Amino acid sequence: MGAFPKAELAPAAGTPRVKRPVQTGVVRGAYPQRETPQPSKLDELARALVAPLVRGSRARRARSADFVDRVGAHRVALAESTDAELAELRDRLRAQLLSRGFEDESVALAFALVREVADRSLGTPHYDTQLLGGHALLRGMVAEMQTGEGKTLSATLPACTAALAGVPVHIITVNDYLAERDAENLRPLYESLGLRVGVIVSGMEPAARRAAYACDVTYCTNKEVAFDYLKDRITLGGHPSGQRLRLEKVARGSGRLDALIHRGLYFAIVDEADSILVDEARTPLIISAPNEDAGKEEFYRTALDLAQMLEPGDDFAIEGADREIRITEAGRKKLEEAAADKSGLWPGQRRREEWVRQGLSALHVYLRDQHYLVSDDKVQIIDEYTGRVMADRSWEHGLHQLIEMKEGVPLTGQQDTLARISYQRFFSRYLLLAGMTGTAQEVRRDLWSTYHLPVVRIPTHRPCQRQEVPPRVFGTEADKWEAVVLRIEALHARGRPLLVGTRSLDASERLSELLAQRGIEHQLLNARQDREEAEIVARAGERGRVTVATNMAGRGTDIKLGPGVAELGGLYVLGTERHDSARIDRQLAGRSARQGDPGTVEYIVSL
């Protein structure tokens, strides 16, 4: 379960032991984190062999109905207690957690207290299924909870319990809006328990960030929390000991300790865990400084000109699922002749072909309004899995500049790397890591092999009422779009709300044009409207609403049905293309039929 400070926790049988932290990490004793040595081949083999046994055992314990009964046993007594009596219980429980750790009895009482306080402060007590989800998170697992089952509220159970034990908690989600929304919506619960809650969003100054991380529970995005960690690594500049840093502060009156943003990596609860921990696992996070290398613009122009000379099929081919560029022998000869009169690296075959492949990727692999959009004279990357713009991200090794040149926008300079880390390496450094998502089964092996995280499926609070219409497949895109528009037209005439999923920005705008031609009023949600995302998605369940969206609509904001919509059959989700990842399709389907509501899912696609 990982090591935590301030307590020598001695749990009951079957509960992972929580000890004082091993003094490891960037700053010994001052910046707790887990070391992540590279596992040997033997370690990987042993882990793979025992994985099914361990996953099953831990998952069964997390689903234990006995734990729910233990929590329920406190319900009547807590409901009859005054607020002052609950505050007194909270103080006793805090001492108990500090001295005895996460014993089942202590955790059950903590969960019962959090549930009662949530009822009084928010008006939303936790369901039994949310207790199971919270229990799994506290044990360091990934809880698979169907969309609409209340993952956000479930996370408050382990967060409050750990915070009462003196363990700083980071609750990590995919965008600033969700971090701010959840922190503000749940603030009454935390404050009623005497806990401080902070929130980190882009654009905050270091002092404000430091104050937010100093809170008991901090809501933040994966990007912000990881970059703040990189900034700390730059500040520390190596691996100084905690003792040395404290002496530095005494001698100078201030030191590097005062400039740190984090106070260590203790307990992270990752929302949309499959997206953050798997889809983006190898995404490099880089802090860099401008490289003022003169002559780069001419260099990029030459690379793009050489790439434009080559003919697809004859001179190069795009191969495989990763769409790698292979230059043919004919292409090599053409490049050699074209570079004969050029200086610099162009006469050398290996470097020449490396840069021409980048140019070919910029021209033929990375497509406008699918992989990126151009806004305010900037090339902005679109996340394939979420459909959102990834602000301040850029491609490496000159690819971004080559795409900028292709699009005719001002070139940004290449950067020199000051610090870098992948999400995989960053999240592996938390002393305790847990996650929640609606779609974890497909990546359970990745979660186990990479993070040693087992997946436990949490049952739904109410039986699912979703109807799945058999998919319809057409030979051409034109026929598909005609069928999609006719389906929307028929359902819209009956007043039933529709959420139409598209895979790319370009496809969403094409469908929007077709609907406008038919006079069908609708809302469009893609990377161009990401600021209005929450409002658009939240209203998608209103009577007569038609919402056309990219993958942005698949995660996050809840879609509540408007008055009379349930009687019409609920939200109708219409998919227009299958994603490479079945999880993305499941996320889209999960926007309908939530919490026992009716709903329908249909796919209309083309070959």
Side-chain angles (χ1 to χ4, degrees):
M1 191 172 180
F4 288 143
K6 300 186 182 178
E8 186 73 29
L9 303 182
T15 303
R17 176 174 290 273
V18 182
K19 303 176 181 177
R20 295 184 185 277
V22 179
Q23 301 301 325
T24 62
V26 179
V27 186
R28 296 182 182 277
Y31 204 106
Q33 61 175 321
R34 183 185 299 280
E35 294 287 6
T36 54
Q38 188 68 27
S40 67
K41 294 293 183 184
L42 186 60
D43 291 334
E44 292 176 353
L45 176 61
R47 181 174 288 185
L49 290 173
V50 303
L53 298 175
V54 177
R55 284 200 303 263
S57 173
R58 293 174 72 178
R60 280 193 295 273
R61 289 203 301 270
R63 287 195 297 262
S64 171
D66 177 60
F67 176 77
V68 174
D69 291 340
R70 290 186 184 191
V71 177
H74 300 287
R75 181 190 289 270
V76 174
L78 293 180
E80 294 175 351
S81 300
T82 64
D83 289 347
E85 289 170 335
L86 290 183
E88 183 182 342
L89 173 62
R90 175 202 64 205
D91 293 339
R92 291 203 312 269
L93 182 59
R94 188 193 296 269
Q96 184 176 323
L97 287 167
L98 284 168
S99 63
R100 298 169 58 188
F102 294 153
E103 293 182 341
D104 280 351
E105 284 299 335
S106 300
V107 172
L109 179 56
F111 277 32
L113 175 62
V114 175
R115 178 162 68 175
E116 178 61 30
V117 173
D119 191 13
R120 297 187 187 192
S121 60
L122 305 175
T124 52
H126 300 76
Y127 302 130
D128 287 352
T129 52
Q130 291 172 323
L131 298 177
L132 291 175
H135 195 213
L137 295 174
L138 192 62
R139 289 179 174 275
M141 303 180 186
V142 172
E144 183 181 80
M145 301 177 69
Q146 296 302 311
T147 51
E149 289 296 308
K151 294 187 290 292
T152 302
L153 190 60
S154 297
T156 61
L157 293 160
C160 292
T161 302
L164 288 171
V167 177
V169 181
H170 295 165
I171 300 181
I172 298 163
T173 188
V174 293
N175 61 48
D176 286 348
Y177 164 75
L178 293 175
E180 283 188 298
R181 180 201 69 179
D182 294 347
E184 290 309 309
N185 288 348
L186 299 169
R187 187 178 299 277
L189 167 60
Y190 290 115
E191 292 182 346
S192 295
L193 288 166
L195 301 173
R196 295 172 303 146
V197 59
V199 60
I200 301 285
V201 295
S202 58
M204 288 176 63
E205 294 298 321
R209 291 173 180 271
R210 205 171 290 118
Y213 287 123
C215 292
D216 302 293
V217 179
T218 306
Y219 284 81
C220 49
T221 65
N222 50 315
K223 185 187 82 168
E224 296 297 327
V225 71
F227 273 117
D228 286 339
Y229 175 78
L230 280 183
K231 292 170 191 172
D232 282 349
R233 286 181 56 179
I234 293 172
T235 298
L236 292 165
H239 299 272
S241 68
Q243 182 180 10
R244 178 178 176 180
L245 290 167
R246 284 188 283 271
L247 287 172
E248 177 184 280
K249 182 174 181 179
V250 170
R252 301 177 185 174
S254 64
R256 284 174 286 178
L257 275 178
D258 298 315
L260 294 177
I261 300 173
H262 281 290
R263 50 176 170 155
L265 304 180
Y266 293 84
F267 182 15
I269 300 173
V270 182
D271 194 9
E272 309 298 357
D274 58 324
S275 175
I276 294 173
L277 299 181
V278 178
D279 296 339
E280 297 198 56
R282 300 189 183 279
T283 299
L285 302 165
I286 301 170
I287 292 181
S288 54
N291 180 340
E292 302 299 337
D293 191 357
K296 278 292 185 181
E297 186 166 348
E298 182 181 347
F299 180 84
Y300 294 134
R301 170 52 62 194
T302 301
L304 210 58
D305 287 344
L306 290 174
Q308 288 173 324
M309 290 172 43
L310 303 184
E311 296 293 330
D314 296 331
D315 300 325
F316 71 93
I318 302 174
E319 299 178 332
D322 293 334
R323 296 178 65 74
E324 293 183 354
I325 302 289
R326 178 178 62 82
I327 298 176
T328 66
E329 194 59 40
R332 288 195 179 93
K333 290 180 180 178
K334 189 179 287 188
L335 289 174
E336 186 176 2
E337 293 171 3
D341 61 344
K342 300 186 187 303
S343 59
L345 62 79
W346 296 114
Q349 178 183 335
R350 185 178 65 82
R351 294 294 302 276
R352 178 176 67 231
E353 291 185 10
E354 179 181 325
W355 276 99
V356 170
R357 273 194 292 270
Q358 287 289 71
L360 289 168
S361 293
L363 292 169
H364 302 287
V365 175
Y366 291 86
L367 307 178
R368 182 169 178 164
D369 292 342
Q370 181 174 338
H371 302 105
Y372 64 91
L373 60 83
V374 178
S375 177
D376 299 326
D377 273 347
K378 292 181 180 178
V379 170
Q380 298 181 311
I381 300 173
I382 298 174
D383 188 322
E384 177 187 1
Y385 291 95
T386 67
R388 297 183 176 95
V389 168
M390 298 197 289
D392 304 321
R393 291 268 188 97
S394 61
W395 287 292
E396 290 187 280
H397 308 305
L399 176 61
H400 202 88
Q401 288 74 20
L402 287 165
I403 292 175
E404 288 173 329
M405 180 158 284
K406 177 183 80 169
E407 296 293 346
V409 302
L411 265 63
T412 55
Q414 271 201 280
Q415 307 281 306
D416 289 331
T417 299
L418 301 179
R420 67 182 291 157
I421 196 171
S422 67
Y423 280 123
Q424 177 179 320
R425 288 180 58 209
F426 170 70
F427 283 108
S428 295
R429 294 185 176 183
Y430 273 92
L431 299 179
L432 177 62
L433 179 64
M436 50 189 183
T437 179
T439 47
Q441 286 299 317
E442 294 90 340
V443 292
R444 63 189 183 280
R445 290 182 177 84
D446 296 310
L447 290 166
W448 175 260
S449 63
T450 304
Y451 306 98
H452 212 197
L453 285 173
V455 172
V456 57
R457 179 173 284 174
I458 306 299
T460 58
H461 177 57
R462 297 188 180 97
C464 182
Q465 303 295 324
R466 185 180 303 121
Q467 293 184 341
E468 297 190 8
V469 176
R472 300 165 64 192
V473 182
F474 291 86
T476 67
E477 268 201 305
D479 290 341
K480 176 191 81 171
W481 290 123
E482 179 66 19
V484 167
V485 171
L486 289 174
R487 174 68 83 194
I488 294 171
E489 205 167 36
L491 291 167
H492 180 59
R494 305 207 310 257
R496 190 165 180 186
L498 289 104
L499 175 63
V500 188
T502 61
R503 186 167 170 179
S504 68
L505 184 152
D506 183 56
S508 69
E509 294 186 338
R510 179 178 178 182
L511 178 56
S512 177
E513 290 176 4
L514 294 173
L515 294 176
Q517 291 170 10
R518 299 287 184 100
I520 300 175
E521 187 177 343
H522 61 281
Q523 294 292 318
L524 179 62
L525 175 61
N526 57 37
R528 297 192 206 277
Q529 295 86 27
D530 58 352
R531 293 179 182 176
E532 295 84 35
E533 174 186 353
E535 182 182 355
I536 293 173
V537 175
R539 299 186 62 189
E542 294 177 359
R543 188 183 183 100
R545 277 258 168 182
V546 177
T547 306
V548 177
T550 57
N551 296 332
M552 294 173 68
R555 298 181 186 267
T557 308
D558 195 16
I559 298 178
K560 292 182 170 59
L561 300 184
V565 170
E567 289 73 19
L568 295 173
L571 180 67
Y572 199 103
V573 170
L574 182 57
T576 60
E577 188 174 354
R578 292 287 187 181
H579 199 278
D580 292 342
S581 169
R583 288 179 294 115
I584 307 303
D585 292 336
R586 276 220 288 151
Q587 286 280 353
L588 178 63
R591 308 313 290 177
S592 71
R594 299 157 74 91
Q595 286 288 347
D597 288 334
T600 306
V601 176
E602 180 184 12
Y603 271 87
I604 299 178
V605 299
S606 70
L607 298 176

